[in-house]
Amino acid sequence: MAVPKRKMSRSNTRHRRAQWKATTPQLVPVTVDGSVYRVPQRLARAYERGLLRPQD
């Protein structure tokens, strides 16, 4: 694991943290028991197989 050689200033730490942005998941339509739900693309296959159930 990388270990810093020197202490990073508060200003540099905050500038680095400010660059991180969360993105909303891409939603795709999935039909479960005749109803269409919009679920995250990475979970679509699990919903189709019945491993997950959509929340009403």
Side-chain angles (χ1 to χ4, degrees):
M1 187 171 123
V3 177
K5 198 162 195 169
R6 299 201 187 286
K7 182 176 180 177
M8 186 179 257
S9 71
R10 182 179 292 172
S11 175
N12 282 343
T13 300
R14 289 178 178 167
H15 277 283
R16 186 189 70 246
R17 288 181 182 163
Q19 296 303 312
W20 187 87
K21 301 282 189 296
T23 58
T24 57
Q26 182 181 355
L27 299 178
V28 295
V30 173
T31 304
V32 180
D33 297 332
S35 300
V36 177
Y37 298 95
R38 291 175 57 82
V39 298
Q41 184 175 7
R42 66 189 195 94
L43 298 176
R45 203 182 250 161
Y47 280 100
E48 291 169 354
R49 291 180 179 173
L51 300 174
L52 295 173
R53 293 183 309 171
Q55 301 294 321
D56 289 327

